[in-house]
mmCIF file of all heavy atoms in Angstrom:
data_model
loop_
_atom_site.group_PDB
_atom_site.id
_atom_site.type_symbol
_atom_site.label_atom_id
_atom_site.label_comp_id
_atom_site.label_asym_id
_atom_site.label_seq_id
_atom_site.Cartn_x
_atom_site.Cartn_y
_atom_site.Cartn_z
ATOM 1 N N TYR A 761 -0.729 -12.078 8.955
ATOM 2 C CA TYR A 761 -0.931 -12.231 7.507
ATOM 3 C C TYR A 761 -2.355 -11.853 7.096
ATOM 4 O O TYR A 761 -2.574 -11.357 5.987
ATOM 5 C CB TYR A 761 -0.684 -13.679 7.068
ATOM 6 C CG TYR A 761 0.709 -14.214 7.294
ATOM 7 C CD1 TYR A 761 0.912 -15.573 7.567
ATOM 8 C CD2 TYR A 761 1.829 -13.395 7.227
ATOM 9 C CE1 TYR A 761 2.179 -16.090 7.768
ATOM 10 C CE2 TYR A 761 3.098 -13.901 7.431
ATOM 11 C CZ TYR A 761 3.272 -15.254 7.701
ATOM 12 O OH TYR A 761 4.525 -15.759 7.909
ATOM 13 N N PHE A 762 -3.311 -12.107 7.973
ATOM 14 C CA PHE A 762 -4.704 -11.941 7.582
ATOM 15 C C PHE A 762 -5.133 -10.479 7.494
ATOM 16 O O PHE A 762 -6.196 -10.206 6.931
ATOM 17 C CB PHE A 762 -5.629 -12.731 8.520
ATOM 18 C CG PHE A 762 -5.881 -14.124 8.049
ATOM 19 C CD1 PHE A 762 -5.106 -15.174 8.518
ATOM 20 C CD2 PHE A 762 -6.867 -14.388 7.117
ATOM 21 C CE1 PHE A 762 -5.324 -16.465 8.064
ATOM 22 C CE2 PHE A 762 -7.097 -15.669 6.657
ATOM 23 C CZ PHE A 762 -6.318 -16.718 7.134
ATOM 24 N N TYR A 763 -4.339 -9.540 8.021
ATOM 25 C CA TYR A 763 -4.738 -8.152 7.742
ATOM 26 C C TYR A 763 -4.431 -7.795 6.301
ATOM 27 O O TYR A 763 -5.201 -7.079 5.655
ATOM 28 C CB TYR A 763 -4.089 -7.152 8.704
ATOM 29 C CG TYR A 763 -4.786 -5.806 8.594
ATOM 30 C CD1 TYR A 763 -6.078 -5.648 9.089
ATOM 31 C CD2 TYR A 763 -4.201 -4.732 7.927
ATOM 32 C CE1 TYR A 763 -6.771 -4.451 8.942
ATOM 33 C CE2 TYR A 763 -4.878 -3.528 7.792
ATOM 34 C CZ TYR A 763 -6.153 -3.396 8.294
ATOM 35 O OH TYR A 763 -6.843 -2.208 8.134
ATOM 36 N N ASP A 764 -3.315 -8.293 5.769
ATOM 37 C CA ASP A 764 -3.080 -8.154 4.329
ATOM 38 C C ASP A 764 -4.230 -8.800 3.559
ATOM 39 O O ASP A 764 -4.707 -8.267 2.552
ATOM 40 C CB ASP A 764 -1.753 -8.814 3.937
ATOM 41 C CG ASP A 764 -0.645 -7.796 3.685
ATOM 42 O OD1 ASP A 764 -0.948 -6.738 3.107
ATOM 43 O OD2 ASP A 764 0.506 -8.049 4.063
ATOM 44 N N PHE A 765 -4.664 -9.964 4.006
ATOM 45 C CA PHE A 765 -5.766 -10.681 3.363
ATOM 46 C C PHE A 765 -7.040 -9.855 3.402
ATOM 47 O O PHE A 765 -7.824 -9.845 2.439
ATOM 48 C CB PHE A 765 -5.978 -12.015 4.092
ATOM 49 C CG PHE A 765 -6.872 -12.992 3.385
ATOM 50 C CD1 PHE A 765 -6.372 -13.825 2.400
ATOM 51 C CD2 PHE A 765 -8.213 -13.095 3.718
ATOM 52 C CE1 PHE A 765 -7.194 -14.741 1.754
ATOM 53 C CE2 PHE A 765 -9.042 -14.005 3.080
ATOM 54 C CZ PHE A 765 -8.531 -14.830 2.096
ATOM 55 N N ALA A 766 -7.254 -9.141 4.515
ATOM 56 C CA ALA A 766 -8.476 -8.340 4.670
ATOM 57 C C ALA A 766 -8.461 -7.093 3.816
ATOM 58 O O ALA A 766 -9.438 -6.761 3.139
ATOM 59 C CB ALA A 766 -8.661 -7.963 6.146
ATOM 60 N N VAL A 767 -7.340 -6.364 3.832
ATOM 61 C CA VAL A 767 -7.333 -5.023 3.267
ATOM 62 C C VAL A 767 -6.957 -4.989 1.789
ATOM 63 O O VAL A 767 -7.278 -4.023 1.086
ATOM 64 C CB VAL A 767 -6.378 -4.126 4.093
ATOM 65 C CG1 VAL A 767 -4.920 -4.365 3.699
ATOM 66 C CG2 VAL A 767 -6.750 -2.666 3.969
ATOM 67 N N SER A 768 -6.299 -6.025 1.295
ATOM 68 C CA SER A 768 -5.832 -5.989 -0.097
ATOM 69 C C SER A 768 -6.970 -6.031 -1.099
ATOM 70 O O SER A 768 -6.799 -5.620 -2.251
ATOM 71 C CB SER A 768 -4.858 -7.137 -0.352
ATOM 72 O OG SER A 768 -3.659 -6.932 0.358
ATOM 73 N N VAL A 769 -8.133 -6.526 -0.686
ATOM 74 C CA VAL A 769 -9.288 -6.512 -1.586
ATOM 75 C C VAL A 769 -9.681 -5.076 -1.909
ATOM 76 O O VAL A 769 -10.102 -4.771 -3.034
ATOM 77 C CB VAL A 769 -10.454 -7.291 -0.959
ATOM 78 C CG1 VAL A 769 -11.744 -7.074 -1.722
ATOM 79 C CG2 VAL A 769 -10.116 -8.770 -0.918
ATOM 80 N N TYR A 770 -9.556 -4.172 -0.934
ATOM 81 C CA TYR A 770 -9.820 -2.751 -1.205
ATOM 82 C C TYR A 770 -8.874 -2.234 -2.278
ATOM 83 O O TYR A 770 -9.292 -1.585 -3.246
ATOM 84 C CB TYR A 770 -9.672 -1.927 0.076
ATOM 85 C CG TYR A 770 -9.717 -0.432 -0.174
ATOM 86 C CD1 TYR A 770 -10.923 0.242 -0.249
ATOM 87 C CD2 TYR A 770 -8.542 0.297 -0.377
ATOM 88 C CE1 TYR A 770 -10.968 1.602 -0.508
ATOM 89 C CE2 TYR A 770 -8.576 1.656 -0.631
ATOM 90 C CZ TYR A 770 -9.787 2.303 -0.696
ATOM 91 O OH TYR A 770 -9.831 3.652 -0.967
ATOM 92 N N ALA A 772 -7.199 -3.901 -4.516
ATOM 93 C CA ALA A 772 -7.376 -4.552 -5.812
ATOM 94 C C ALA A 772 -8.690 -4.191 -6.478
ATOM 95 O O ALA A 772 -8.722 -3.740 -7.630
ATOM 96 C CB ALA A 772 -7.279 -6.075 -5.640
ATOM 97 N N SER A 773 -9.795 -4.379 -5.768
ATOM 98 C CA SER A 773 -11.110 -4.199 -6.385
ATOM 99 C C SER A 773 -11.543 -2.737 -6.449
ATOM 100 O O SER A 773 -12.080 -2.283 -7.463
ATOM 101 C CB SER A 773 -12.170 -4.997 -5.616
ATOM 102 O OG SER A 773 -11.993 -6.375 -5.809
ATOM 103 N N GLY A 905 3.013 -12.168 3.890
ATOM 104 C CA GLY A 905 1.897 -11.256 4.097
ATOM 105 C C GLY A 905 1.377 -10.702 2.785
ATOM 106 O O GLY A 905 0.161 -10.696 2.524
ATOM 107 N N TRP A 906 2.302 -10.234 1.931
ATOM 108 C CA TRP A 906 1.885 -9.734 0.625
ATOM 109 C C TRP A 906 1.232 -10.833 -0.206
ATOM 110 O O TRP A 906 0.246 -10.601 -0.908
ATOM 111 C CB TRP A 906 3.083 -9.155 -0.129
ATOM 112 C CG TRP A 906 3.444 -7.775 0.318
ATOM 113 C CD1 TRP A 906 4.517 -7.401 1.066
ATOM 114 C CD2 TRP A 906 2.723 -6.564 0.057
ATOM 115 N NE1 TRP A 906 4.510 -6.050 1.287
ATOM 116 C CE2 TRP A 906 3.423 -5.503 0.678
ATOM 117 C CE3 TRP A 906 1.551 -6.268 -0.634
ATOM 118 C CZ2 TRP A 906 2.994 -4.189 0.632
ATOM 119 C CZ3 TRP A 906 1.117 -4.950 -0.684
ATOM 120 C CH2 TRP A 906 1.840 -3.931 -0.062
ATOM 121 N N ALA A 907 1.775 -12.060 -0.126
ATOM 122 C CA ALA A 907 1.185 -13.170 -0.880
ATOM 123 C C ALA A 907 -0.245 -13.451 -0.410
ATOM 124 O O ALA A 907 -1.138 -13.705 -1.226
ATOM 125 C CB ALA A 907 2.050 -14.424 -0.734
ATOM 126 N N PHE A 908 -0.486 -13.406 0.906
ATOM 127 C CA PHE A 908 -1.847 -13.555 1.418
ATOM 128 C C PHE A 908 -2.758 -12.474 0.839
ATOM 129 O O PHE A 908 -3.894 -12.736 0.447
ATOM 130 C CB PHE A 908 -1.841 -13.450 2.954
ATOM 131 C CG PHE A 908 -1.830 -14.770 3.660
ATOM 132 C CD1 PHE A 908 -0.786 -15.667 3.489
ATOM 133 C CD2 PHE A 908 -2.863 -15.126 4.519
ATOM 134 C CE1 PHE A 908 -0.776 -16.888 4.145
ATOM 135 C CE2 PHE A 908 -2.866 -16.343 5.181
ATOM 136 C CZ PHE A 908 -1.819 -17.231 4.994
ATOM 137 N N GLY A 909 -2.246 -11.250 0.804
ATOM 138 C CA GLY A 909 -3.038 -10.141 0.296
ATOM 139 C C GLY A 909 -3.418 -10.313 -1.161
ATOM 140 O O GLY A 909 -4.587 -10.122 -1.548
ATOM 141 N N TYR A 910 -2.447 -10.693 -1.972
ATOM 142 C CA TYR A 910 -2.747 -10.859 -3.390
ATOM 143 C C TYR A 910 -3.628 -12.078 -3.649
ATOM 144 O O TYR A 910 -4.392 -12.107 -4.616
ATOM 145 C CB TYR A 910 -1.451 -10.935 -4.196
ATOM 146 C CG TYR A 910 -0.805 -9.579 -4.335
ATOM 147 C CD1 TYR A 910 0.437 -9.312 -3.771
ATOM 148 C CD2 TYR A 910 -1.448 -8.551 -5.012
ATOM 149 C CE1 TYR A 910 1.020 -8.054 -3.879
ATOM 150 C CE2 TYR A 910 -0.882 -7.301 -5.133
ATOM 151 C CZ TYR A 910 0.352 -7.056 -4.571
ATOM 152 O OH TYR A 910 0.917 -5.821 -4.673
ATOM 153 N N THR A 911 -3.538 -13.084 -2.784
ATOM 154 C CA THR A 911 -4.462 -14.223 -2.895
ATOM 155 C C THR A 911 -5.897 -13.762 -2.668
ATOM 156 O O THR A 911 -6.816 -14.137 -3.418
ATOM 157 C CB THR A 911 -4.090 -15.310 -1.882
ATOM 158 O OG1 THR A 911 -2.757 -15.776 -2.152
ATOM 159 C CG2 THR A 911 -5.059 -16.477 -1.957
ATOM 160 N N ALA A 912 -6.098 -12.937 -1.635
ATOM 161 C CA ALA A 912 -7.443 -12.408 -1.374
ATOM 162 C C ALA A 912 -7.936 -11.569 -2.539
ATOM 163 O O ALA A 912 -9.100 -11.680 -2.957
ATOM 164 C CB ALA A 912 -7.433 -11.575 -0.089
ATOM 165 N N GLY A 913 -7.057 -10.714 -3.068
ATOM 166 C CA GLY A 913 -7.444 -9.894 -4.206
ATOM 167 C C GLY A 913 -7.870 -10.733 -5.391
ATOM 168 O O GLY A 913 -8.839 -10.411 -6.089
ATOM 169 N N SER A 914 -7.159 -11.838 -5.617
ATOM 170 C CA SER A 914 -7.497 -12.726 -6.735
ATOM 171 C C SER A 914 -8.862 -13.369 -6.532
ATOM 172 O O SER A 914 -9.685 -13.425 -7.447
ATOM 173 C CB SER A 914 -6.421 -13.814 -6.879
ATOM 174 O OG SER A 914 -5.153 -13.256 -7.122
ATOM 175 N N LEU A 915 -9.105 -13.868 -5.317
ATOM 176 C CA LEU A 915 -10.379 -14.531 -5.044
ATOM 177 C C LEU A 915 -11.552 -13.581 -5.247
ATOM 178 O O LEU A 915 -12.562 -13.934 -5.881
ATOM 179 C CB LEU A 915 -10.379 -15.067 -3.610
ATOM 180 C CG LEU A 915 -9.422 -16.227 -3.307
ATOM 181 C CD1 LEU A 915 -9.412 -16.529 -1.811
ATOM 182 C CD2 LEU A 915 -9.821 -17.469 -4.090
ATOM 183 N N MET A 916 -11.445 -12.371 -4.693
ATOM 184 C CA MET A 916 -12.557 -11.437 -4.810
ATOM 185 C C MET A 916 -12.734 -10.938 -6.236
ATOM 186 O O MET A 916 -13.871 -10.709 -6.676
ATOM 187 C CB MET A 916 -12.350 -10.261 -3.854
ATOM 188 C CG MET A 916 -13.527 -9.284 -3.822
ATOM 189 S SD MET A 916 -15.120 -10.058 -3.430
ATOM 190 C CE MET A 916 -14.990 -10.181 -1.662
ATOM 191 N N LEU A 917 -11.639 -10.782 -6.963
ATOM 192 C CA LEU A 917 -11.765 -10.329 -8.344
ATOM 193 C C LEU A 917 -12.470 -11.367 -9.214
ATOM 194 O O LEU A 917 -13.176 -11.010 -10.157
ATOM 195 C CB LEU A 917 -10.389 -9.990 -8.925
ATOM 196 C CG LEU A 917 -9.857 -8.608 -8.575
ATOM 197 C CD1 LEU A 917 -8.442 -8.429 -9.115
ATOM 198 C CD2 LEU A 917 -10.764 -7.507 -9.121
ATOM 199 N N VAL A 918 -12.269 -12.642 -8.925
ATOM 200 C CA VAL A 918 -13.003 -13.683 -9.653
ATOM 201 C C VAL A 918 -14.502 -13.516 -9.429
ATOM 202 O O VAL A 918 -15.311 -13.565 -10.362
ATOM 203 C CB VAL A 918 -12.536 -15.086 -9.208
ATOM 204 C CG1 VAL A 918 -13.464 -16.157 -9.773
ATOM 205 C CG2 VAL A 918 -11.106 -15.336 -9.669
ATOM 206 N N VAL A 919 -14.886 -13.299 -8.159
ATOM 207 C CA VAL A 919 -16.298 -13.082 -7.839
ATOM 208 C C VAL A 919 -16.810 -11.802 -8.500
ATOM 209 O O VAL A 919 -17.911 -11.771 -9.077
ATOM 210 C CB VAL A 919 -16.492 -13.015 -6.308
ATOM 211 C CG1 VAL A 919 -17.940 -12.686 -5.958
ATOM 212 C CG2 VAL A 919 -16.081 -14.331 -5.671
ATOM 213 N N ASN A 920 -16.018 -10.727 -8.419
ATOM 214 C CA ASN A 920 -16.406 -9.459 -9.034
ATOM 215 C C ASN A 920 -16.586 -9.597 -10.534
ATOM 216 O O ASN A 920 -17.532 -9.048 -11.112
ATOM 217 C CB ASN A 920 -15.352 -8.396 -8.751
ATOM 218 C CG ASN A 920 -15.316 -7.946 -7.306
ATOM 219 O OD1 ASN A 920 -14.337 -7.360 -6.856
ATOM 220 N ND2 ASN A 920 -16.367 -8.210 -6.554
ATOM 221 N N TRP A 948 -15.694 -7.387 3.232
ATOM 222 C CA TRP A 948 -14.561 -8.318 3.337
ATOM 223 C C TRP A 948 -13.514 -7.756 4.308
ATOM 224 O O TRP A 948 -13.020 -8.482 5.175
ATOM 225 C CB TRP A 948 -13.967 -8.525 1.946
ATOM 226 C CG TRP A 948 -12.799 -9.459 1.870
ATOM 227 C CD1 TRP A 948 -11.521 -9.239 2.317
ATOM 228 C CD2 TRP A 948 -12.785 -10.769 1.293
ATOM 229 N NE1 TRP A 948 -10.717 -10.315 2.054
ATOM 230 C CE2 TRP A 948 -11.467 -11.269 1.425
ATOM 231 C CE3 TRP A 948 -13.750 -11.551 0.673
ATOM 232 C CZ2 TRP A 948 -11.102 -12.535 0.949
ATOM 233 C CZ3 TRP A 948 -13.378 -12.816 0.196
ATOM 234 C CH2 TRP A 948 -12.065 -13.292 0.339
ATOM 235 N N TRP A 949 -13.166 -6.501 4.127
ATOM 236 C CA TRP A 949 -12.187 -5.835 4.990
ATOM 237 C C TRP A 949 -12.596 -5.965 6.459
ATOM 238 O O TRP A 949 -11.799 -6.376 7.313
ATOM 239 C CB TRP A 949 -12.088 -4.375 4.566
ATOM 240 C CG TRP A 949 -11.057 -3.525 5.245
ATOM 241 C CD1 TRP A 949 -10.249 -3.848 6.298
ATOM 242 C CD2 TRP A 949 -10.730 -2.184 4.904
ATOM 243 N NE1 TRP A 949 -9.436 -2.786 6.629
ATOM 244 C CE2 TRP A 949 -9.714 -1.754 5.791
ATOM 245 C CE3 TRP A 949 -11.207 -1.287 3.937
ATOM 246 C CZ2 TRP A 949 -9.165 -0.462 5.731
ATOM 247 C CZ3 TRP A 949 -10.652 -0.011 3.875
ATOM 248 C CH2 TRP A 949 -9.639 0.401 4.763
ATOM 249 N N PHE A 952 -12.557 -9.958 7.780
ATOM 250 C CA PHE A 952 -11.272 -10.630 7.992
ATOM 251 C C PHE A 952 -10.325 -9.848 8.900
ATOM 252 O O PHE A 952 -9.338 -10.414 9.386
ATOM 253 C CB PHE A 952 -10.617 -10.955 6.649
ATOM 254 C CG PHE A 952 -11.254 -12.114 5.951
ATOM 255 C CD1 PHE A 952 -12.159 -11.911 4.926
ATOM 256 C CD2 PHE A 952 -10.982 -13.414 6.349
ATOM 257 C CE1 PHE A 952 -12.774 -12.970 4.287
ATOM 258 C CE2 PHE A 952 -11.584 -14.491 5.723
ATOM 259 C CZ PHE A 952 -12.489 -14.276 4.691
ATOM 260 N N LEU A 1035 -6.775 -9.179 -12.267
ATOM 261 C CA LEU A 1035 -6.768 -10.532 -11.708
ATOM 262 C C LEU A 1035 -5.453 -11.230 -12.033
ATOM 263 O O LEU A 1035 -4.858 -11.904 -11.171
ATOM 264 C CB LEU A 1035 -7.946 -11.324 -12.253
ATOM 265 C CG LEU A 1035 -8.040 -12.788 -11.825
ATOM 266 C CD1 LEU A 1035 -8.130 -12.891 -10.302
ATOM 267 C CD2 LEU A 1035 -9.245 -13.462 -12.481
ATOM 268 N N GLN A 1038 -2.843 -9.934 -9.718
ATOM 269 C CA GLN A 1038 -2.975 -10.486 -8.380
ATOM 270 C C GLN A 1038 -2.401 -11.895 -8.297
ATOM 271 O O GLN A 1038 -1.687 -12.232 -7.354
ATOM 272 C CB GLN A 1038 -4.449 -10.509 -7.962
ATOM 273 C CG GLN A 1038 -5.128 -9.163 -7.935
ATOM 274 C CD GLN A 1038 -4.587 -8.272 -6.841
ATOM 275 O OE1 GLN A 1038 -4.494 -8.653 -5.688
ATOM 276 N NE2 GLN A 1038 -4.219 -7.062 -7.210
ATOM 277 N N VAL A 1039 -2.722 -12.727 -9.297
ATOM 278 C CA VAL A 1039 -2.257 -14.115 -9.288
ATOM 279 C C VAL A 1039 -0.737 -14.170 -9.406
ATOM 280 O O VAL A 1039 -0.055 -14.867 -8.640
ATOM 281 C CB VAL A 1039 -2.921 -14.910 -10.428
ATOM 282 C CG1 VAL A 1039 -2.285 -16.291 -10.556
ATOM 283 C CG2 VAL A 1039 -4.418 -15.038 -10.173
ATOM 284 N N VAL A 1042 1.343 -13.053 -6.285
ATOM 285 C CA VAL A 1042 1.563 -14.057 -5.239
ATOM 286 C C VAL A 1042 2.865 -14.799 -5.512
ATOM 287 O O VAL A 1042 3.745 -14.908 -4.644
ATOM 288 C CB VAL A 1042 0.384 -15.053 -5.176
ATOM 289 C CG1 VAL A 1042 0.680 -16.167 -4.174
ATOM 290 C CG2 VAL A 1042 -0.903 -14.333 -4.809
#
Side-chain angles (χ1 to χ4, degrees):
Y761 298 149
F762 270 94
Y763 194 71
D764 256 321
F765 192 84
V767 80
S768 292
V769 169
Y770 171 85
S773 290
W906 280 107
F908 263 61
Y910 285 116
T911 299
S914 300
L915 292 173
M916 185 55 80
L917 278 176
V918 170
V919 176
N920 290 162
W948 180 288
W949 185 354
F952 285 100
L1035 177 59
Q1038 300 292 309
V1039 171
V1042 175

